[in-house]
């Protein structure tokens, strides 16, 4: 078998590890967040940051257009000035928790994505969110990491390959968005 066929075979196995019942649970939490006009915050690092941006664009525009009532959603990794100010003046570990301290309220929804599950800035933000009465969700890879212990809702993708896990996370994000775009909510 050549490299590319093997890669696809392993990617299919990664997709098969997506626990659809947990995805449905997160969709319900998002529906409640939308119905109660609460805020959804999403963030990650590197490829997961790109996925967070993509997810919020799809949800904030596509799903909101379909529903008529807008999702109140924000990707915390999209404001370079915020990130660099917090990272420079405090610590890189504070780039997400610092924003949540300004914006988040009890009952809001927080979702982070991380292949390792142990990025200190994500862990600190989820820990803070839990202490403040927010609902926390983590999409992680096979290593699980600290986020798998801290977050209230966790989806583990059974792989440690960064590309495959990030692709599976984005697939979950698309599933969540299209739940609102293709079904009657």
């Amino acid at each position: 078998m050549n490299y590319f066929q093997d890669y696809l075979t392993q990617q299919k196995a990664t997709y098969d590890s997506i626990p659809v019942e947990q995805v449905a649970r997160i969709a319900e939490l998002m529906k409640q967040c939308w119905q109660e006009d609460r805020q959804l915050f999403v963030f990650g690092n590197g490829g997961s940051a790109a996925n967070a941006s993509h997810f919020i664009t799809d949800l904030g525009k596509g799903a909101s257009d379909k529903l008529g009532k807008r999702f109140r959603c924000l990707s915390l990794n999209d404001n370079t000035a915020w990130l660099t100010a917090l990272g420079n003046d405090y610590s890189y570990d504070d780039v997400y928790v610092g924003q949540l301290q300004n914006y988040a309220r009890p009952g809001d929804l927080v979702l982070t994505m991380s292949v390792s599950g142990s990025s200190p800035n994500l862990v600190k933000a989820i820990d803070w969110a839990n202490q403040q009465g927010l609902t926390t969700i983590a999409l992680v890879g096979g290593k699980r990491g600290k986020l798998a212990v801290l977050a209230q809702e966790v989806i583990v993708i059974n792989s440690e390959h960064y590309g495959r896990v990030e692709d599976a996370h984005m697939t979950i994000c698309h599933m969540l968005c299209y739940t609102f775009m293709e079904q009657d909510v």
Side-chain angles (χ1 to χ4, degrees), residues 124-137:
K124 189 170 186 176
I126 293 297
D127 187 43
W128 181 89
N130 283 334
Q131 292 174 32
Q132 301 305 310
L134 284 75
T135 301
T136 57
I137 301 165

Side-chain angles (χ1 to χ4, degrees), residues 6 8 16 22 54 70 88 90-91 95 108 118 143 154:
D6 186 49
L8 286 176
D16 287 340
Q22 287 178 275
H54 186 159
R70 313 308 291 181
N88 183 64
Y90 303 119
S91 162
V95 297
D108 286 343
S118 290
K143 289 182 181 178
V154 179

Side-chain angles (χ1 to χ4, degrees), residues 77-140:
N77 47 254
D78 287 343
N79 190 326
T80 305
W82 253 113
L83 293 170
T84 58
L86 291 165
N88 183 64
D89 294 348
Y90 303 119
S91 162
Y92 188 71
D93 292 357
D94 294 322
V95 297
Y96 297 126
V97 71
Q99 293 180 72
L100 288 173
Q101 289 169 340
N102 277 65
Y103 297 128
R105 301 290 178 260
D108 286 343
L109 191 57
V110 175
L111 185 149
T112 192
M113 292 175 263
S114 173
V115 177
S116 73
S118 290
S119 300
N121 58 351
L122 306 180
V123 169
K124 189 170 186 176
I126 293 297
D127 187 43
W128 181 89
N130 283 334
Q131 292 174 32
Q132 301 305 310
L134 284 75
T135 301
T136 57
I137 301 165
L139 309 183
V140 299

Side-chain angles (χ1 to χ4, degrees), residues 42-53:
V42 182
F43 49 91
N45 296 311
S48 295
N51 281 350
S53 296

Side-chain angles (χ1 to χ4, degrees), residues 1-13 164:
M1 185 176 294
N2 70 34
Y3 172 80
F4 300 105
Q5 186 58 53
D6 186 49
Y7 191 99
L8 286 176
T9 299
Q10 291 180 46
Q11 187 65 45
K12 289 174 186 173
R164 285 191 265 280

